[in-house]
């Protein structure tokens, strides 16, 4: 469940499984290439997580078909036909809870999340955006960047808050704009980096102590290195991601 | 003189000196470390340019003392005591013209240029800014970036227009934000990249055909490679920087 850190689960047994996997739900509306990159990284053992549910608001989303091919649980929860946003989101939230999702990774999910849904998974919802935020939020970020004439763009994995592409930044990767780029070629090259950045971000959140300071997402690599050698202290000051930091 | 391209100087002799140096004026208000980086690169022969004047609006600017040590012509044109901005800028403009400046490089010049001054050197004024624009324009860009929690920042060399840090981008260099950074350490590491980016930008503008498309500064490296082997066509379509592209 999306409770934060070991301090909130004092009754947890001391024998935390060495390979406890975080339970991740994916929300997508299209091809879901970032979902596939995340899943591939999990299957390779690079990210200590498993996908418990893939939700799409679009029945025909190609990403949903790929999820079925991979034997993952899927749910179509269409927003069309619902009387309002709240009704749709209640169904999404119910599905997430039934699946036992602890983390949500947005992978081309073309709907804004309400403050209620964000509040139900505080600091446990990730999104990826094809620019170096805070530059070029919103739609068509790659075309925005190309037209602006930047020489460096990239991608951003961030925690989701109630704003638009505005939550604390977890990972960014810079991608140079080449002289012979157009917006499409630039988007393709950024996408290749997205497929690395998203697994890297989730891996770091699950394996390295971190906390939010102001709006910075601060990782403590040293603490992570120590945690590999010794069990974490009983009253860890750090907010660690679930109990994935292993003693 | 700041006229654009060879098309505007049809009477120019065919024997363009192979090492014709662009005449650059520097405007600074402080230590001028980017001025020194530019000058060093010129002295090493990496940028086909020479500094014809260093102007400061602050008599005590350390960069001015360094310019004198290097035997460069300097001018103190204080804005304090002037009745208005226009009077100050007229003096700056007169000094630039007397020195025969073709390009202006701002190096920590803490005053906005008026549209009149910008218009007197169209696409011939450069500035450097310690962020990846359009993110974090204005003052204290490094601290803005650090507090925002970006994982990648950098620096931007851009042509100056009448806006704030808004002109077409010539060169950007990405600088990763390290976990143990503070705003000061980040600023120091960005500064090291500024000292590379600024000479690189001026060198490219002087040696590679380029033009402004929309708000993109587009370089044509292939044309530059060809120009090294053959003289440029009589009616070059490209806007090239002065006549620094050599036949």
């Amino acid at each position: 469940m999306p409770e934060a850190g070991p301090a909130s689960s004092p009754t947890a047994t001391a024998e935390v499984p060495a390979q406890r996997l975080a339970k991740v739900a994916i929300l997508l509306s299209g091809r879901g290439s970032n979902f596939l990159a995340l899943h591939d990284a999990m299957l390779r053992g690079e990210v200590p997580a498993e996908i418990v549910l893939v939700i799409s608001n679009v029945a025909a989303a190609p990403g949903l078909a790929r999820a079925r091919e991979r034997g993952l649980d899927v749910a179509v929860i269409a927003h069309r036909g619902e009387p309002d946003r709240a009704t749709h989101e209640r169904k999404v939230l119910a599905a997430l809870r039934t699946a036992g999702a602890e983390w949500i990774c947005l992978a081309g999910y073309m709907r804004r999340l309400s403050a209620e849904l964000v509040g139900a998974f505080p600091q446990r919802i990730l999104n990826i955006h094809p620019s170096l935020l805070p530059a070029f939020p919103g739609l068509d970020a790659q075309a925005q960047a190309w037209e602006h004439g930047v020489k460096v763009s990239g991608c951003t994995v961030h925690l989701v808050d109630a704003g638009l592409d505005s939550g604390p930044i977890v990972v960014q990767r810079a991608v140079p704009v080449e002289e012979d780029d157009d917006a499409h070629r630039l988007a393709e090259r950024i996408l290749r980096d997205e497929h690395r950045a998203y697994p890297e971000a989730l891996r770091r959140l699950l394996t390295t102590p971190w906390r939010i300071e102001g709006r910075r997402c601060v990782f403590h690599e040293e603490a992570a290195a120590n945690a590999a050698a010794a069990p974490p202290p009983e009253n860890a000051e750090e907010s660690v991601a679930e109990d994935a930091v292993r003693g």
Side-chain angles (χ1 to χ4, degrees), chain A:
Chain A
M1 298 300 122
E3 312 255 322
S8 64
S9 53
T11 60
T13 165
E15 286 86 31
V16 176
Q19 290 297 323
R20 186 197 180 292
L21 300 179
K23 296 179 187 300
V24 174
I26 304 280
L27 269 61
L28 58 80
S29 302
R31 60 183 168 173
S33 75
N34 274 304
F35 143 57
L36 296 171
L38 279 169
H39 192 224
D40 289 344
M42 292 174 195
L43 294 177
R44 288 193 303 266
E46 295 167 7
V47 180
E50 61 183 332
I51 293 174
V52 295
L53 183 61
V54 178
I55 299 176
S56 179
N57 61 320
V58 178
L64 209 54
R66 303 298 301 273
R68 286 195 188 92
E69 290 167 16
R70 291 175 176 224
L72 296 171
D73 285 345
V74 302
V76 177
I77 307 178
H79 60 282
R80 290 183 190 260
E82 295 292 354
D84 52 33
R85 172 183 297 269
T87 308
H88 177 252
E89 280 214 341
R90 269 198 299 275
K91 293 183 179 178
V92 172
L93 189 54
L96 291 169
R97 294 213 187 283
T98 301
E102 298 162 326
W103 288 78
I104 301 172
C105 290
L106 308 182
Y109 186 63
M110 301 304 286
R111 289 178 65 78
R112 293 278 293 275
L113 303 188
S114 70
E116 289 70 26
L117 185 50
V118 172
F121 290 83
Q123 297 182 3
R124 292 295 182 273
I125 308 179
L126 283 173
N127 187 35
I128 188 159
H129 184 81
S131 77
L132 291 177
L133 291 171
F136 312 120
L139 291 176
D140 291 326
Q142 307 96 327
Q144 287 184 57
W146 188 80
E147 283 162 17
H148 192 90
V150 295
K151 302 297 186 184
V152 175
S153 191
C155 59
T156 302
V157 183
H158 64 94
L159 295 166
V160 172
D161 62 16
L164 174 63
D165 302 327
S166 64
I169 293 167
V170 181
V171 163
Q172 290 184 308
R173 290 177 69 98
V175 175
V177 180
E178 307 290 353
E179 287 302 330
D180 60 352
D181 268 345
D182 55 26
H184 179 72
R185 272 195 295 266
L186 176 61
E188 283 188 337
R189 283 190 298 106
I190 291 174
L191 186 62
R192 287 204 289 273
D193 271 48
E194 289 175 49
H195 295 166
R196 295 179 179 189
Y198 216 163
E200 179 190 349
L202 185 56
R203 180 189 60 74
R204 292 195 81 190
L205 289 168
L206 293 174
T207 61
T208 306
W210 57 277
R211 62 183 167 209
I212 302 299
E213 296 178 6
R215 54 157 294 128
R216 295 185 306 122
C217 180
V218 180
F219 288 94
H220 296 266
E221 302 286 2
E222 269 184 44
N226 295 342
E234 298 256 330
N235 295 309
E237 274 186 31
E238 305 293 343
S239 158
V240 297
E242 304 299 321
D243 43 11
V245 173
R246 299 177 288 282

